[in-house]
Amino acid sequence: MANIKPVSDLRNYNSVLSECTAGSPVYLTKNGRGRFVVLDVDEYQKMQAETRLFTELAKAENNDTWYTIEELRQKLGV
């Protein structure tokens, strides 16, 4: 279940931060609408790595160059 709190709860930020764990972000609302997300730093880094991976995969998918296993091994020096 999503952990949703008004941004005014940040007055007691220790309480908000203690509820923020990996896989369980805290969503902050302002005037009743979603505005901010507080994430565990490990979760944030994982999201960044996934974004970079998907970006590179998309680039590779759009590339028309295909290699055989032998060509790939030669390029990688394996």
Side-chain angles (χ1 to χ4, degrees):
M1 187 163 135
N3 191 355
I4 303 170
K5 299 188 170 295
V7 75
S8 61
D9 279 10
L10 285 178
R11 288 184 192 123
N12 186 7
Y13 63 89
N14 283 328
S15 171
V16 173
L17 295 180
S18 69
E19 294 180 33
C20 180
T21 60
S24 180
V26 175
Y27 299 92
L28 299 174
T29 62
K30 186 172 182 179
N31 297 325
R33 298 170 96 41
R35 185 74 174 117
F36 304 102
V37 177
V38 179
L39 286 173
D40 176 78
V41 71
D42 292 332
E43 190 76 15
Y44 175 75
Q45 290 173 341
K46 179 182 172 186
M47 287 175 54
Q48 292 294 101
E50 288 174 349
T51 300
R52 285 191 302 273
L53 173 63
F54 290 137
T55 300
E56 291 301 315
L57 288 173
K59 285 180 193 175
E61 197 171 66
N62 293 330
N63 187 349
D64 290 334
T65 305
W66 290 86
Y67 298 108
T68 65
I69 292 294
E70 292 78 23
E71 291 171 329
L72 185 58
R73 284 185 179 143
Q74 184 179 15
K75 286 192 171 292
L76 294 175
V78 180

